[in-house]
Amino acid sequence: MHARPTASAARAVLAVLLCAWSAAFSQQQPLPSWNEGSAKSRIVAFVKAVTDRSSKDYAPPPERVAVFDNDGTLWSEQPLYFQLVFMIEQVKIAAPKHPEWKDNPVYKALAANDHKALGELGHKPVLELLAVANSGMTVEAYDKTIREWLATARHPKFRRPYTDLVYKPMQELLAYLRINGFKTYIVSGGSIEFMRPWTQRAYGIPPEQVIGTISDTQFELQEGKPVLVREPKFAFIDDGPGKPVGIYRAIGRRPIAAFGNSDGDLQMLQFTEGGSGRRLMLIVRHDDAAREFAYDRQSHVGRLDKALDEARAKKWVVVSMKSDWKRIFAFE
Amino acid sequence: MHARPTASAARAVLAVLLCAWSAAFSQQQPLPSWNEGSAKSRIVAFVKAVTDRSSKDYAPPPERVAVFDNDGTLWSEQPLYFQLVFMIEQVKIAAPKHPEWKDNPVYKALAANDHKALGELGHKPVLELLAVANSGMTVEAYDKTIREWLATARHPKFRRPYTDLVYKPMQELLAYLRINGFKTYIVSGGSIEFMRPWTQRAYGIPPEQVIGTISDTQFELQEGKPVLVREPKFAFIDDGPGKPVGIYRAIGRRPIAAFGNSDGDLQMLQFTEGGSGRRLMLIVRHDDAAREFAYDRQSHVGRLDKALDEARAKKWVVVSMKSDWKRIFAFE
């Protein structure tokens, strides 16, 4: 806006350098943890098409929006969504302050880790109880609780911090998209506050690009200090048909690439496909019981059923973790 | 992540160039439409302090979040919020489809432009009726309606498109902050969909950095086409104590600089001030009846009363449009 000729010239030089550097960078072998095959080649072909100015599929950088589900797409989600493990522990810690829970069937099922009973009770009452457990605290205090839990909790199968269970091939994919001018977002059924403390380090995704389920908060002055206090209810559930709504609210653009792994991602994939111009829709399929987990249509966590049928019918990319990925975790 | 030595070297060269260029750029006289004085010098001193690595007030770039109210802070808001002018016209257009409105006091007051009656009715019933008027259409159709209105509507005093009424000094301030590594956001009581079509051009702020009031939308497949349809209610009102909540939901960081003009911005300013480290809180005061409008404590639009008292008590920057700004609009 205030550029004088010298600044304009510098900017032009810079733009040329940036392009050259970006091209050099992206011409290295991308996606080293991916085996050669249809999934990898379709990703690369898509990225080449939308970044090539001479292509009919060219998308200018502001339109290069890529959305990623988190649980089961960027990190593991079995045997139970990691946030749910955390929240159940929080419910147990909060129980002494809530004598009214004693005969509550939801509390009893949570305390007993009774997945069958929880499944029969349905999502809504479970979410309602979970929302109460951490209400009343400031968002800073809740953030601290989450960080402390993540630092000490260990996954029951891998005996490692949960944040070690991010998928190396997906980290590479995120970096590959960004180096090609994409803005990468998480769009998760998980809560924003549970993801934001670690997504920058794990995925290179800053807090402001994390879209998720939102707890209601209230602005208050506590002894003159302005704080946000957690209310005992959810303001927005970012799952299933909520995902396109969350994307619209936070981004205001229709993504051109979407990555998911379960039926909860179906509408996000449909919404992405529904725009004009070239699109990439991809599903990560958990078929590697040896290195991670194998599950799909029958799973109570991350069920992949309708979205798998639709992926096949519409020829979306379906990634086999077993055959498409050289390795799954960085620690392997 | 995949950088080989050549790419690393290129990146280092680039970083140096970028810094040099950025420094050259920012050392031009910043804020040319601002008169020399306390407001300008305090802004510049703040920016220098938080960007100087040797300063105790240094803030790393990810923390350089600046939030701007829109109505009355970045563009005019008199004699009536421009979005309200648009929405009232939409209500009138929708009226034939809503015979039940005939005896509705809100509708009658809106149709008669009876500001006194509207003031007595209060915000809530007015918002409820406005929300109904444009429900049922897809977000794309609504976007088109807004763009068409903005292209043809004229401000009653200035006889120009509403989007001409953006403040040149604030455009310069936004650019000055960005060149100094800030990420600039709008945090407005206005609706996201009313702002996003034009904020990139007017302010250099992309849709994903526009935080505002949110109408509820519903994902649907209409003849197989995935769309978002507007529901007849608001999901979130981004005003007053809602502003810190909106910031937390969308950004997940506490801003270090906040810019407003009315009591609706008070909590956003308080929330910004409440963090640790150096902060800038600024209020634009409308005291130039000749070039724009003069109003504060008594105004029904953009009332500045409590926030002015607090600004004085806490020594926030209070900008006099009359004496601090050389010009207000680019067209002058």
Side-chain angles (χ1 to χ4, degrees):
Chain A
M1 187 169 278
H2 318 300
R4 291 178 185 171
T6 49
S8 294
R11 180 153 52 176
V13 169
L14 198 82
V16 170
L17 275 170
L18 191 60
C19 287
W21 169 73
S22 171
F25 199 89
S26 59
Q27 276 166 18
Q28 295 172 48
Q29 286 304 326
L31 309 177
S33 298
W34 292 66
N35 288 315
E36 299 304 320
S38 156
K40 178 173 177 173
S41 62
R42 286 179 65 188
I43 292 168
V44 172
F46 166 77
V47 170
K48 289 205 162 132
V50 298
T51 55
D52 174 2
R53 282 182 177 275
S54 66
S55 161
K56 67 173 176 37
D57 297 321
Y58 178 73
E63 296 303 323
R64 293 181 206 158
V65 171
V67 289
F68 288 80
D69 169 59
N70 185 40
D71 297 315
T73 299
L74 295 179
W75 75 345
S76 296
E77 61 184 353
Q78 293 284 3
L80 200 60
Y81 299 116
F82 302 166
Q83 180 176 353
L84 208 50
V85 177
F86 162 75
M87 291 176 95
I88 290 169
E89 288 189 21
Q90 295 299 303
V91 164
K92 290 176 187 168
I93 291 167
K97 287 187 289 181
H98 294 275
E100 76 279 11
W101 286 351
K102 197 164 64 73
D103 299 317
N104 182 323
V106 177
Y107 172 71
K108 287 200 283 191
L110 284 173
N113 288 330
D114 184 345
H115 295 179
K116 185 163 166 289
L118 287 171
E120 282 161 9
L121 286 159
H123 277 53
K124 198 159 174 286
V126 176
L127 285 175
E128 281 169 3
L129 191 90
L130 294 173
V132 171
N134 282 104
S135 63
M137 61 168 71
T138 66
V139 299
E140 280 87 359
Y142 191 52
D143 178 74
K144 191 162 169 282
T145 307
I146 291 164
R147 288 172 193 267
E148 285 170 0
W149 185 82
L150 287 169
T152 55
R154 293 293 178 270
H155 187 275
K157 174 171 173 175
F158 294 101
R159 305 282 163 199
R160 289 181 163 272
Y162 286 98
T163 47
D164 279 6
L165 300 182
V166 300
Y167 303 140
K168 182 76 184 157
M170 296 304 283
Q171 292 175 308
E172 293 169 1
L173 177 53
L174 285 161
Y176 173 60
L177 288 172
R178 285 193 294 265
I179 210 73
N180 281 287
F182 279 78
K183 201 160 179 179
T184 53
Y185 288 86
I186 289 174
V187 180
S188 171
S191 292
I192 49 175
E193 59 266 36
F194 190 75
M195 297 183 279
R196 285 174 167 168
W198 54 274
T199 54
Q200 176 70 54
R201 182 176 297 189
Y203 309 132
I205 295 181
E208 61 269 27
Q209 282 159 237
V210 174
I211 300 168
T213 288
I214 297 173
S215 292
D216 211 1
T217 51
Q218 186 88 34
F219 178 81
E220 284 179 19
L221 290 174
Q222 290 185 349
E223 299 171 4
K225 199 175 146 53
V227 294
L228 292 172
V229 177
R230 291 171 55 78
E231 297 282 295
K233 63 176 193 290
F234 288 100
F236 179 65
I237 304 289
D238 190 52
D239 197 27
K243 289 200 175 192
V245 173
I247 291 168
Y248 175 70
R249 290 183 182 185
I251 310 178
R253 307 183 199 259
R254 203 183 279 244
I256 66 168
F259 305 84
N261 78 300
S262 78
D263 286 358
D265 305 314
L266 178 56
Q267 289 85 357
M268 175 171 83
L269 292 156
Q270 290 171 332
F271 183 65
T272 300
E273 185 176 45
S276 58
R278 188 154 170 174
R279 255 66 190 160
L280 179 68
M281 281 66 60
L282 182 149
I283 282 179
V284 173
R285 193 161 181 213
H286 295 264
D287 58 0
D288 193 332
R291 294 189 298 176
E292 201 233 12
F293 299 97
Y295 58 98
D296 49 22
R297 296 185 194 272
Q298 305 304 321
S299 179
H300 64 289
V301 168
R303 174 171 300 171
L304 175 63
D305 183 28
K306 286 182 189 161
L308 186 57
D309 293 338
E310 189 145 338
R312 285 174 173 164
K314 292 179 160 177
K315 304 198 189 311
W316 295 345
V317 179
V318 178
V319 169
S320 159
M321 290 174 71
K322 190 170 182 172
S323 54
D324 284 319
W325 288 358
K326 280 194 189 117
R327 58 175 181 173
I328 293 179
F329 302 115
F331 59 76
E332 281 172 20
Chain B
M1 187 170 284
H2 317 300
R4 291 178 185 170
T6 50
S8 294
R11 181 152 52 174
V13 169
L14 199 81
V16 169
L17 276 169
L18 191 59
C19 288
W21 170 73
S22 172
F25 198 89
S26 60
Q27 275 166 18
Q28 295 173 45
Q29 287 304 327
L31 310 177
S33 299
W34 292 67
N35 287 315
E36 298 306 319
S38 156
K40 178 173 177 174
S41 63
R42 286 179 66 188
I43 293 168
V44 172
F46 166 78
V47 170
K48 289 208 161 129
V50 298
T51 56
D52 174 1
R53 282 181 177 275
S54 66
S55 161
K56 67 172 175 41
D57 298 321
Y58 178 73
E63 297 302 324
R64 294 181 205 158
V65 171
V67 289
F68 289 79
D69 169 59
N70 185 39
D71 297 315
T73 299
L74 295 179
W75 76 344
S76 296
E77 61 184 352
Q78 293 283 3
L80 200 59
Y81 298 117
F82 302 166
Q83 180 176 353
L84 207 50
V85 177
F86 163 75
M87 292 176 94
I88 291 169
E89 287 188 21
Q90 296 298 303
V91 165
K92 290 177 187 167
I93 291 167
K97 288 187 288 180
H98 293 276
E100 78 277 11
W101 286 351
K102 199 164 64 74
D103 299 316
N104 182 322
V106 177
Y107 172 72
K108 287 201 282 191
L110 283 173
N113 288 329
D114 184 345
H115 295 178
K116 185 163 167 290
L118 287 171
E120 283 162 9
L121 286 160
H123 276 54
K124 197 159 174 287
V126 177
L127 285 175
E128 280 169 2
L129 191 90
L130 294 174
V132 171
N134 283 102
S135 64
M137 59 168 73
T138 65
V139 298
E140 279 87 359
Y142 192 52
D143 178 75
K144 191 162 170 281
T145 307
I146 292 164
R147 287 173 193 267
E148 286 170 359
W149 185 81
L150 287 169
T152 55
R154 294 294 179 268
H155 187 275
K157 174 173 173 175
F158 294 100
R159 306 280 162 200
R160 288 179 164 272
Y162 286 98
T163 48
D164 278 6
L165 301 182
V166 299
Y167 304 139
K168 182 77 182 155
M170 297 304 283
Q171 291 175 309
E172 293 170 2
L173 176 53
L174 286 161
Y176 173 61
L177 289 172
R178 285 194 295 264
I179 211 72
N180 281 287
F182 279 79
K183 202 160 177 178
T184 53
Y185 289 86
I186 288 175
V187 180
S188 171
S191 292
I192 49 175
E193 59 266 35
F194 190 75
M195 297 182 279
R196 284 174 167 168
W198 55 274
T199 54
Q200 176 69 57
R201 181 176 297 191
Y203 309 131
I205 296 181
E208 61 269 26
Q209 283 160 235
V210 174
I211 300 167
T213 289
I214 297 174
S215 292
D216 212 359
T217 52
Q218 186 88 35
F219 178 80
E220 283 179 20
L221 290 174
Q222 289 185 349
E223 298 173 5
K225 200 177 145 55
V227 293
L228 292 172
V229 176
R230 292 171 56 77
E231 297 281 295
K233 64 177 192 291
F234 287 100
F236 179 65
I237 304 288
D238 189 52
D239 197 29
K243 290 199 174 191
V245 173
I247 290 168
Y248 175 70
R249 291 183 181 186
I251 310 178
R253 307 184 198 259
R254 203 184 278 244
I256 65 169
F259 305 84
N261 79 300
S262 78
D263 286 358
D265 304 315
L266 178 56
Q267 289 86 355
M268 175 172 83
L269 292 155
Q270 289 172 333
F271 183 66
T272 300
E273 184 176 47
S276 59
R278 187 153 171 176
R279 256 65 191 161
L280 178 68
M281 282 65 61
L282 182 149
I283 282 180
V284 172
R285 193 161 181 213
H286 294 264
D287 58 0
D288 193 332
R291 293 189 299 176
E292 201 233 13
F293 298 98
Y295 57 99
D296 51 22
R297 296 184 195 273
Q298 305 303 321
S299 179
H300 64 289
V301 167
R303 174 172 301 171
L304 175 63
D305 182 28
K306 286 180 189 162
L308 185 58
D309 292 339
E310 189 145 339
R312 284 173 174 164
K314 293 178 161 179
K315 304 199 190 313
W316 295 344
V317 178
V318 177
V319 169
S320 159
M321 290 175 71
K322 190 169 183 173
S323 54
D324 284 319
W325 288 358
K326 279 194 190 119
R327 57 176 182 171
I328 293 179
F329 302 115
F331 60 76
E332 280 172 22

